[in-house]
Amino acid sequence: MAVLGEIRNRPWLLMGIIAVAMLAFVVNPDSLEQLFGAKPGVYGKVNGDEITKEDFDDQLFILQQQAQQQGQPTKGLEEQAWQMVVQSKLIKQQFEKMGLTLTDDMFYNQLQFDPMFAQNPENFDAKGNFKVQEIKKQIEELRNSGNVEMYNNWLKTKKAIEYRMMARQLFANVSTGITVSKKEAEEMMKQRDQVADIDFVKVDYATYAQKNPVKVTTKDLEDYIKKHPILFKRDASRNIGLVYFPAAASPQDEAVTQAEINKLFSKGTDMSDGKENFQNTTNDSMFVSLNSDLPYNPTYFSAEQLPAAIKDKVAGAAVGTTFGPYKEQNFYVVSKLLDKKPSDSTLSRHILVSYKGNQAGANETRTKEEAKKLADSIGAVLKATPAKFAEFLKYSSDPGSAGQGGSVGWTTPATPFVPEYLSFLANNGKGATGVVETQFGYHIINIEDKKSGAMTYKVANLVKAIKPSDKTESEVYTKATRFIQQIQGKTFNDFANVAKKNNYQFFNPKEVGRFQGQLPGLGTDKDEEIIAWAFNKKREKGDADIFTVDGTGDRIVAYLNGIQDPGTADPEAVRDQIEPIVKNRILAKQISDKITAAKATSLDQIAKMFGSAKQTAQVNMLSPQIAGAMEPKVAGAAFGVAKGKVSNPVEGMTGVYVLVKKSETLNKQPGDIKQVTQALASQNSQQFGQALLKSLQDNAKIEDYRIEVYNQAAQQ
């Protein structure tokens, strides 16, 4: 039913339904370029190619639309949008650099392979042929319809499809040069089939460190980062200390809420002088609207969709039964069962008579009054003779359903149709015909069939939120204010120690990006404000401030512990990430130096030195597991050392190893050289797209002006 809500037969017209995935352009490189001409405001550059505010805003809007449709948060998508736009530019630049072009003919020839079209069987005829001419006609009709918003949606969607096509063509052309040689396949088979039997001694890092503790300094971290500069290339970030003071309702506050709902439930409202309460009211929806903290919902729900306290009770309860009061999360609730009925599935058809000026009437010339007169006339004929339904389809402004005899298929109350249409289906039986007005015009609806489904229930819920009182909020404010006074001008260690000493909720996200939207561990509506505060160019390390969460009275004290400019990561900001690795390397050097200095000639000597035991294992290069740990360096040493000779110390992942190879055997595995070659080629092809995109991004000159732009806007 195209016009009624989802434009069933033309899903490509909808904005926001495009599946997007950050860093996944091989499959789905959704992004937008400039659509309506250059505008002031440049957010950055990719190899000199400008990213305009419009580029960024359009991509962000698409992500927000998708998140909304999926029931996900729409905030905090700025960084993802930025990455998508950057990758769009890189794909287009490389595509053009290789001399490739995407013509209009190629676009329509390839359209059938795009997921947006390929996954919809209605885009293909009975023989499986793609209805390209029909789709072209629909686009042309849309362009001439005067519906500017919908046509612009198509233009944006078309751009996204073009990027996917460019990505596929780019990767296909480059990946043809990826081959697997016979020598490479033979070496892979050798590594797969060879097994070495070894004796070894392992000096475990953790065990050794218990007796020989080491401290990892900032200099140690710096040295490690210098050896791996690409791994620690960072955008601007901030190290922020956070202490959270929740304004949780006290037991006294909860008791006040409980007393309030008990009064509404059985004693009566002040407005009615105590005469009307939730149990005896004859207008449940009005009572809830006037007295509840959540609005009345007239929807029918399945038992599983109802609150846990009543879902097992409604089936056997009579209409009018009340439940509660009961506690549901931070609410006190009383419920009344208003009705119960099966959830019908309905097969219906309609003729939409639209008029000039409404959502479906772009090409119509008739007035609203003329449309109503025509609809009533058709409705009267069809009520008497439903068999004539097809004769009037020529008047329908919904070509999608008209092409199927007016049918909109089977629907349920949960189907996303306009409520007036669903209401007619719910309140009329099989064979009924009637005229219904909606935002799209006048619908002549005919119910063709009905099937009963599971039982559903309409419940009125009187809800009272358990909120902190003014007194409680004042106490929280006093506590937060006292804390910030204690730490003003103090070090971050002082900030953290005072928080921990008082058992306050303490968080320390170390690499907060300007546009990440949420703070790890926090997740309040003040997160974006705190991040903006931390990135203000006037802010200095050691600054602290207090923030109030809207609507809750919660307080957050933020402390700026570090400022990371674009470039190499600050060692202390990544200490948690790399300290275990650096520590093991320090331990490995100590252990290796002791073994070398001892000039040991046997494994027994080394085992005695460190109180370790000599062990035995079989080692394979492709599956280098030893004593429960993956140790590729040890496996390499096993095949590199001469038989019977004590190896040099090997710095492993979990300890330092010394080994003696006893023998090598060949354990032939299934699969000939042709199969191995094909498997390697397939693996390389799958990994290539992402690897190429990452390489393009690592080697691109990407300039990000967003922080400066946002700071300038904040000062205006």
Side-chain angles (χ1 to χ4, degrees), residues 183-385:
K183 186 68 176 175
E184 185 179 356
E186 288 174 344
E187 181 61 30
M188 184 63 67
M189 292 176 68
K190 180 181 176 181
Q191 293 181 10
R192 179 197 68 183
D193 297 341
Q194 276 187 321
V195 176
D197 289 287
I198 63 170
D199 289 335
F200 69 94
V201 172
K202 174 185 176 182
V203 183
D204 184 76
Y205 294 138
T207 303
Y208 179 85
Q210 289 177 356
K211 296 180 180 179
N212 305 274
V214 297
K215 183 178 180 181
V216 178
T217 66
T218 302
K219 177 68 166 52
D220 294 328
L221 300 175
E222 286 177 351
D223 291 342
Y224 181 81
I225 291 171
K226 286 177 182 177
K227 292 178 181 178
H228 307 85
I230 294 180
L231 293 177
F232 296 95
K233 184 180 177 182
R234 293 292 191 270
D235 295 327
S237 66
R238 298 294 182 265
N239 183 325
I240 307 175
L242 301 163
V243 176
Y244 181 55
F245 297 88
S250 67
Q252 292 79 12
D253 298 334
E254 185 170 332
V256 169
T257 306
Q258 190 174 17
E260 184 179 5
I261 201 163
N262 279 328
K263 179 181 178 182
L264 291 170
F265 178 53
S266 57
K267 295 181 181 178
T269 64
D270 294 336
M271 189 180 298
S272 68
D273 295 325
K275 295 177 181 178
E276 183 185 26
N277 58 48
F278 187 63
Q279 293 185 80
N280 66 24
T281 182
T282 57
N283 192 335
D284 298 287
S285 60
M286 182 61 70
F287 191 91
V288 169
S289 297
L290 292 174
N291 298 289
S292 178
D293 288 342
L294 293 178
Y296 173 74
N297 188 340
T299 307
Y300 283 80
F301 294 98
S302 69
E304 288 302 315
Q305 293 173 309
L306 296 174
I310 67 172
K311 68 179 184 179
D312 295 329
K313 301 176 181 178
V314 290
V319 171
T321 302
T322 55
F323 308 91
Y326 58 90
K327 190 176 179 182
E328 181 83 6
Q329 297 178 346
N330 291 322
F331 300 94
Y332 271 111
V333 187
V334 286
S335 302
K336 183 186 291 186
L337 180 60
L338 302 183
D339 193 17
K340 55 172 70 175
K341 67 177 182 180
S343 175
D344 292 336
S345 294
T346 307
L347 180 65
S348 66
R349 54 185 177 173
H350 83 136
I351 296 166
L352 174 60
V353 179
S354 194
Y355 49 86
K356 185 177 180 179
N358 88 333
Q359 285 187 252
N363 297 319
E364 298 294 347
T365 58
R366 68 173 73 95
T367 65
K368 182 176 180 180
E369 292 73 21
E370 290 171 338
K372 185 177 188 309
K373 184 177 180 180
L374 175 60
D376 288 340
S377 175
I378 295 172
V381 173
L382 295 182
K383 282 182 181 179
T385 316

Side-chain angles (χ1 to χ4, degrees), residues 141-169:
E141 288 175 353
L142 181 63
R143 188 174 71 86
N144 297 325
S145 69
N147 193 332
V148 177
E149 180 181 1
M150 192 63 77
Y151 184 65
N152 284 339
N153 288 350
W154 159 244
L155 291 179
K156 295 179 181 183
T157 302
K158 183 173 182 284
K159 283 291 182 183
I161 296 171
E162 288 175 345
Y163 276 117
R164 285 200 289 274
M165 289 180 178
M166 281 191 283
R168 284 194 294 272
Q169 188 175 343

Side-chain angles (χ1 to χ4, degrees), residues 533-534 536-544 559-561 563:
W533 167 85
N536 188 299
K537 65 180 181 180
K538 296 180 181 179
R539 201 68 53 225
E540 296 180 355
K541 182 176 179 179
D543 285 356
Y559 183 103
L560 185 56
N561 184 40
I563 297 174

Side-chain angles (χ1 to χ4, degrees), residues 37-59:
K39 288 186 177 181
V42 177
Y43 276 18
K45 293 182 180 180
V46 179
N47 295 325
D49 190 3
E50 290 183 349
I51 295 177
T52 67
K53 180 179 184 298
E54 188 172 10
D55 289 332
F56 179 79
D57 288 349
D58 283 337
Q59 182 60 68

Side-chain angles (χ1 to χ4, degrees), residues 91-103 106 165-176 692:
I91 289 292
K92 189 167 187 280
Q93 289 170 1
Q94 195 66 20
F95 185 83
E96 294 173 347
K97 186 177 181 181
M98 293 179 66
L100 300 173
T101 56
L102 182 63
T103 64
M106 184 182 297
M165 289 180 178
M166 281 191 283
R168 284 194 294 272
Q169 188 175 343
L170 170 65
F171 296 140
N173 276 271
V174 178
S175 62
T176 53
L692 175 60

Side-chain angles (χ1 to χ4, degrees), residues 560-626:
L560 185 56
N561 184 40
I563 297 174
Q564 168 74 59
D565 293 324
T568 305
D570 176 80
E572 289 301 325
V574 295
R575 174 178 284 274
D576 291 348
Q577 177 185 344
I578 65 175
E579 184 175 35
I581 300 171
V582 176
K583 182 178 180 181
N584 284 349
R585 294 200 167 188
I586 296 171
L587 293 169
K589 187 176 188 310
Q590 288 185 10
I591 296 167
S592 297
D593 288 347
K594 287 183 179 181
I595 293 173
T596 302
K599 298 181 180 179
T601 58
S602 71
L603 295 181
D604 291 329
Q605 287 178 267
I606 298 170
K608 185 176 181 181
M609 283 176 58
F610 295 96
S612 301
K614 186 169 71 172
Q615 302 178 64
T616 300
Q618 279 194 333
V619 186
N620 175 263
M621 286 288 287
L622 288 188
S623 182
Q625 191 174 68
I626 301 172

